[in-house]
Amino acid sequence: MRIGVYICHCGGNISDIVNIGEAVEFAKKQKDVVLVRDNGHICSNEGQMLVLSDIREFKLDKIVIAACSPSFQGQTFMKMMERAGLNPYVLEMANIREQCSWAHINYPEEATEKAKDLTNIAISKVRLDTPLSKAKMPIGKRVLVIGGGIAGIQAALDLGDAGFKVYLVEEKPTIGGHMAQLSKTFPTEDCSACILSPKMSDVAAHPNIELLTYSEVIAISGYLGNYNAKIKIKPTYVDPSKCTCCGDCSEVCPVDVPNEFNEGLSFRKAIYIPTDIAVPHSFTLDIENCLGLLPLACAKCRDACDAKAINYDQYEKTMDITVDTIIVATGFDIFNPAEKPVFGFGKYENVLTALQLERLVEHEESGKNLVDIGNKIAFIQCVGSRDEQIKKEYCSRVCCMYATKLAQLLKRNRPERDIYIFYTDLRAYGKGFEEYYKRAQKNGVKYIRGRTAEIQENPKNKKLILKVEDTLTRSLIEGEFDTVILSTGMVPSEGTKKIRDILRIGRTTDGFLAEAHPKFKPVDTLTEGIFLAGTVQGPKDIPDTVAQASAAAARAIRLMNKGEYEAEPITASIDEELCAGCGVCISVCPYDAIAFEAEGARKFAKVNEMLCKGCGSCAGSCPSGAAQQKWFNTEQIKEMLRAIL
Amino acid sequence: MSKKIILDKESAEFTKKIIELSGEIVTLCEQCGTCSGGCPMCDKAETSPSLMMRMAALGQKEILGSDIIWYCASCYTCTVRCPRGIDISKVAEALRQIILRDSVNRIDLSKLTPAELEKLPQIALVAALRKMTG
């Protein structure tokens, strides 16, 4: 065995604290070590060339690199091993940067001792490392996209255009999500529905996209290249191929229900179409509110339908599909302002949410007023954002700009309006945002720097009084407002919470789903083959959502395009002869990767290597030592401990 | 001429002292003004609670001469609303402590005129008499 040890300076990051010379001398004394070198940057091209030429010249067969964290440069050095014709798994890294020089910046001597120990551990482990090979697995071209908002739509279209088979699942009767509800988009003021609706019809017409609306994913099992999803499809009781959207059914329906699409500002019938641009373009019978499907109960809609599109004999169905990768785009809900009772939402009739205002403004523009909101209007920013009292510490990123947009639209509809935006910090960080903010100020929108403590209603005229300080002049604001708009932030949607449990993927402290790496893997999750798109990962505006959706599609294509992929070889394996069949490993495995197999009367546990993530829980808990983690077997761990004891 | 804020060793020390005494990290304040908006005494005092927090964060000793720290009745309205979770009542208490620790008689009751007595809020009167307890 001929081990080469390389100790990195990391351009001073390590060498300023750790005594490199001492570490080199120490490593030279270890058994089987034939060469020790130190270098400024081993990860650089020059550093790697040095290792490669040493491997040839000194016939090194195992390598130890004492440098940074393997999660940082591990992949670089593994690729280097492949170039040298060595197996990537006879390489070990000792982390003497994050764990020595950075952690013990004020204790150089102790840091040096620890660096020596960690290097010794790596040498002891590499002696017992054996080559591991990556299994090549076949992978198909099928993708499940969960959520039909703009993120899901964009991801589905990109994947479909690239020739992949897409199943797009949406729980509502139409795709489009929140974007379909918006009046205009900031800062360009494009009509939101007008730019969204062509994309929605593209989805419906796309030969590679199978659209499943009014449907929910209820279970998922399997792994990359073989995910099995169970989808519940709710009946709409209307045949979309026959429905002409004439609306005769709605007209005769006797039931009024608050219209979700208009945020409760108007009513719809129990048989309805959520919006004019709905896709699929068809009515839906909402069975929760329908008087009943029995002809005796009502059946007015069926009788009114000339196209004979209404069929009461429909039932809930489930559908099983197999896909290779999954994109999660379950979006956001708006913060429920009733959680901040100081603002009186639901109690004072003139307090509205910004999403309600989006619907109002759109109707106002077309002359079909939903309600008159008057002329003196205040926006309260950061409702449900940046507030420790309700455990929402994050900034929702869109409220400053949508308030700026809505204020200008309100003024355009009625120039005599007086609009005030009460903010804490104005965040105009995106492309064209600052210019848009300036335009609003030019148009007379007044920005007041102060966060509203509470709203009171004048019971005589229903006008609203704000308890708020202008922090720039330290003066309290007086006067009454006709309407107060709460600029509500984003929270993880109910769908996101459900899908998180089904897919078992992590979340960050804000409740949104966690990306695999905040910088370099912003749309991956820690589960291979599952990607995130849009606000499911955190608040963001439409351009960012679309960019992320395209990124998620590209990352999914990257895995599927070759038709095969290499599986991670660091998995557990169970020795059938030693296994006593106690089942402890099965109970501790967090990935359901272990199951019993029988051979005659004897049963033993077996690991499904495709599901195993190499966490080591089974190896740690197995009483007989039958379960072993490849690359971290018991003998190796004993040797690593001996090296420092 | 606008007011000057002097940032030096002394101001840094003063901020540190407030943080130590109150147990609240005053530099966390984002100056949103929620405390002032809801403060029942804000329209009576010359200085608003948010200004008190600003001056505390910048270590400006003039805050010890402000009326807001004596108007503060520790009703905790600001504390339960602060979006940064700062216990602002404790900061006011710390500022009162700094003054009271000098242990001198701040007011001589016998020298107060009836007009002054009428103007002075009871709570301030009581607080001023509690030399060491605030």
Side-chain angles (χ1 to χ4, degrees):
Chain A
M1 194 180 305
R2 300 175 64 81
I3 303 173
V5 178
Y6 292 83
I7 299 175
C8 189
H9 294 219
C10 196
N13 271 311
I14 296 169
S15 54
D16 287 352
I17 310 296
V18 172
N19 184 334
I20 301 279
E22 209 178 297
V24 168
E25 286 313 310
F26 172 82
K28 277 183 182 164
K29 290 187 203 122
Q30 305 308 314
K31 192 166 75 112
D32 301 325
V33 173
V34 294
L35 178 74
V36 182
R37 279 194 204 273
D38 60 299
N39 187 281
H41 293 279
I42 305 173
C43 58
S44 69
N45 194 43
E46 192 201 342
Q48 292 187 50
M49 294 312 283
L50 174 74
V51 183
L52 288 175
S53 74
D54 283 349
I55 290 174
R56 278 193 299 275
E57 193 181 332
F58 296 95
K59 300 199 168 28
L60 304 175
D61 54 10
K62 288 188 171 175
I63 300 292
V64 168
I65 299 201
C68 54
S69 160
S71 67
F72 191 61
Q73 290 292 8
Q75 289 296 324
T76 309
F77 293 119
M78 286 179 126
K79 286 199 181 109
M80 178 195 76
M81 294 293 278
E82 280 173 350
R83 277 159 72 199
L86 289 176
N87 187 282
Y89 294 90
V90 294
L91 162 91
E92 286 298 331
M93 286 187 75
N95 182 355
I96 61 167
R97 189 178 73 171
E98 283 86 341
Q99 293 180 359
C100 294
S101 60
W102 283 1
H104 311 296
I105 196 158
N106 296 322
Y107 301 91
E109 275 170 36
E110 287 85 347
T112 304
E113 283 308 308
K114 190 172 172 187
K116 281 151 67 176
D117 277 349
L118 292 179
T119 309
N120 199 9
I121 288 175
I123 296 170
S124 310
K125 179 167 183 282
V126 85
R127 282 196 201 104
L128 296 175
D129 277 344
T130 51
L132 299 177
S133 56
K134 292 179 176 176
K136 283 204 170 25
M137 303 297 296
I139 186 166
K141 295 193 166 191
R142 301 153 300 180
V143 191
L144 169 64
V145 177
I146 307 169
I150 181 59
I153 290 172
Q154 181 68 34
L157 287 173
D158 282 358
L159 286 159
D161 289 350
F164 291 78
K165 166 79 185 172
V166 181
Y167 298 93
L168 177 58
V169 178
E170 165 59 46
E171 65 174 354
K172 302 226 164 61
T174 175
I175 54 170
H178 284 299
M179 188 177 168
Q181 289 180 287
L182 305 181
S183 53
K184 292 201 168 17
T185 61
F186 61 76
T188 47
E189 291 186 7
D190 292 297
C191 154
S192 190
C194 318
I195 58 172
L196 177 65
S197 122
K199 277 186 179 286
M200 289 164 64
S201 21
D202 283 356
V203 166
H206 207 294
N208 288 340
I209 301 176
E210 188 167 338
L211 180 58
L212 300 165
T213 47
Y214 222 32
S215 304
E216 257 178 74
V217 175
I218 50 174
I220 287 179
S221 61
Y223 44 88
L224 172 64
N226 187 26
Y227 282 112
N228 301 302
K230 195 177 269 302
I231 295 160
K232 181 174 89 181
I233 304 168
K234 290 191 272 181
T236 62
Y237 304 97
V238 180
D239 181 349
S241 63
K242 288 187 190 157
C243 177
T244 59
C245 291
C246 65
D248 287 351
C249 52
S250 254
E251 255 167 54
V252 295
C253 177
V255 185
D256 283 319
V257 186
N259 186 337
E260 304 90 350
F261 192 77
N262 282 340
E263 291 293 313
L265 291 172
S266 65
F267 289 93
R268 63 162 172 88
K269 298 293 184 174
I271 186 162
Y272 71 110
I273 186 161
T275 156
D276 295 343
I277 61 165
V279 166
H281 202 57
S282 168
F283 275 64
T284 297
L285 192 153
D286 158 19
I287 192 64
E288 302 270 307
N289 292 297
C290 176
L291 291 180
L293 298 175
L294 291 173
L296 275 178
C298 175
K300 286 202 169 78
C301 54
R302 193 188 58 185
D303 297 343
C305 183
D306 284 339
K308 303 274 172 252
I310 299 173
N311 173 15
Y312 295 150
D313 289 324
Q314 278 191 7
Y315 303 95
E316 192 175 288
K317 287 184 289 189
T318 57
M319 181 175 156
D320 291 298
I321 57 170
T322 303
V323 293
D324 300 283
T325 54
I326 297 171
I327 292 178
V328 186
T330 44
F332 69 95
D333 285 343
I334 66 160
F335 171 75
N336 175 11
E339 284 181 45
K340 288 288 285 183
V342 283
F343 296 141
F345 180 78
K347 191 166 121 200
Y348 307 146
E349 59 188 68
N350 294 324
V351 176
L352 301 171
T353 68
L355 198 52
Q356 288 180 314
L357 185 64
E358 295 277 0
R359 303 306 307 147
L360 278 173
V361 164
E362 204 183 312
H363 283 80
E364 209 177 61
E365 226 163 58
S366 54
K368 294 178 283 186
N369 247 359
L370 287 173
V371 234
D372 191 348
I373 56 168
N375 285 347
K376 192 175 170 192
I377 298 160
F379 284 80
I380 298 181
Q381 299 304 108
C382 299
V383 176
S385 307
R386 306 180 63 200
D387 191 346
E388 263 184 39
Q389 302 295 347
I390 44 159
K391 306 276 176 280
K392 300 268 181 291
E393 288 185 44
Y394 55 87
C395 165
S396 288
R397 300 180 81 225
V398 292
C399 324
C400 285
M401 281 302 115
Y402 75 55
T404 298
K405 169 197 74 184
L406 287 166
Q408 293 187 85
L409 298 180
L410 285 171
K411 261 187 120 58
R412 203 163 305 155
N413 289 350
R414 270 192 231 163
E416 68 274 23
R417 268 182 175 148
D418 248 344
I419 320 274
Y420 301 87
I421 298 181
F422 291 89
Y423 69 101
T424 305
D425 294 298
L426 209 109
R427 294 181 173 170
Y429 58 90
K431 189 171 181 171
F433 289 9
E434 183 64 30
E435 295 89 326
Y436 193 54
Y437 169 38
K438 189 177 151 196
R439 200 169 97 197
Q441 287 177 309
K442 203 171 160 189
N443 289 341
V445 177
K446 289 168 201 104
Y447 289 81
I448 298 179
R449 196 189 175 288
R451 192 163 178 152
T452 307
E454 64 181 269
I455 298 177
Q456 292 172 354
E457 188 187 59
N458 180 343
K460 283 182 213 140
N461 56 13
K462 304 278 179 199
K463 290 192 180 200
L464 300 160
I465 301 152
L466 302 191
K467 306 292 261 178
V468 56
E469 177 189 45
D470 171 35
T471 57
L472 300 179
T473 58
R474 310 282 174 187
S475 321
L476 296 171
I477 303 287
E478 292 215 356
E480 296 177 341
F481 294 87
D482 296 327
T483 300
V484 173
I485 307 299
L486 305 179
S487 292
T488 41
M490 293 185 186
V491 298
S493 69
E494 283 303 314
T496 299
K497 288 176 200 159
K498 274 190 236 165
I499 209 70
R500 193 172 73 83
D501 288 342
I502 291 172
L503 291 172
R504 284 193 274 187
I505 42 184
R507 59 173 183 180
T508 35
T509 46
D510 52 14
F512 293 95
L513 301 192
E515 65 276 20
H517 189 286
K519 297 283 181 290
F520 299 130
K521 288 184 177 176
V523 298
D524 294 32
T525 64
L526 287 173
T527 310
E528 247 185 330
I530 300 181
F531 303 93
L532 305 174
T535 50
V536 67
Q537 179 260 347
K540 52 182 66 68
D541 63 356
I542 295 165
D544 284 4
T545 295
V546 171
Q548 213 185 37
S550 290
R555 293 290 290 175
I557 292 172
R558 171 182 165 269
L559 284 180
M560 295 182 290
N561 206 30
K562 278 193 285 187
E564 61 174 24
Y565 72 96
E566 289 182 330
E568 178 57 58
I570 305 174
T571 54
S573 66
I574 294 172
D575 187 330
E576 292 171 22
E577 299 300 316
L578 286 176
C579 176
C582 69
V584 168
C585 53
I586 296 174
S587 67
V588 298
C589 177
Y591 302 99
D592 290 339
I594 311 179
F596 277 128
E597 272 194 14
E599 199 182 77
R602 204 174 82 83
K603 61 174 185 175
F604 54 87
K606 195 165 168 61
V607 178
N608 178 341
E609 292 191 2
M610 298 316 303
L611 289 174
C612 177
K613 299 274 174 262
C615 71
S617 302
C618 55
S621 59
C622 177
S624 65
Q628 288 289 336
Q629 171 92 340
K630 286 177 202 163
W631 219 45
F632 289 99
N633 62 45
T634 312
E635 213 36 58
Q636 281 185 305
I637 289 172
K638 277 187 194 159
E639 278 303 308
M640 289 161 79
L641 288 171
R642 271 189 208 117
I644 48 165
L645 290 177
Chain B
M1 178 72 182
S2 52
K3 271 195 231 166
K4 275 188 184 153
I5 284 180
I6 298 162
L7 300 172
D8 55 9
K9 218 173 164 183
E10 203 186 335
S11 67
E13 285 299 315
F14 187 57
T15 304
K16 227 193 225 172
K17 189 171 181 183
I18 297 169
I19 294 174
E20 241 167 58
L21 269 176
S22 64
E24 294 300 307
I25 302 164
V26 288
T27 48
L28 255 181
C29 174
E30 59 178 350
Q31 285 292 300
C32 67
T34 305
C35 46
S36 305
C39 177
M41 293 299 187
C42 195
D43 53 351
K44 301 184 181 60
E46 302 254 311
T47 308
S48 75
S50 68
L51 181 57
M52 176 192 86
M53 290 301 292
R54 185 69 183 153
M55 290 178 77
L58 295 180
Q60 302 302 298
K61 282 197 169 150
E62 294 94 307
I63 192 60
L64 294 175
S66 74
D67 54 355
I68 187 69
I69 60 178
W70 302 109
Y71 271 112
C72 171
S74 294
C75 73
Y76 293 108
T77 306
C78 51
T79 299
V80 297
R81 285 179 180 170
C82 175
R84 282 281 169 97
I86 306 170
D87 190 335
I88 299 157
S89 305
K90 276 193 185 166
V91 177
E93 172 65 11
L95 293 168
R96 290 193 290 267
Q97 279 290 338
I98 289 170
I99 297 170
L100 294 168
R101 280 184 179 190
D102 289 347
S103 194
V104 293
N105 283 328
R106 298 280 151 192
I107 50 170
D108 189 342
L109 280 182
S110 59
K111 284 187 183 152
L112 287 174
T113 63
E116 277 170 333
L117 271 172
E118 196 163 317
K119 194 182 160 209
L120 208 57
Q122 279 187 10
I123 189 82
L125 200 61
V126 173
L129 289 170
R130 286 185 296 187
K131 278 197 293 193
M132 284 304 290
T133 60

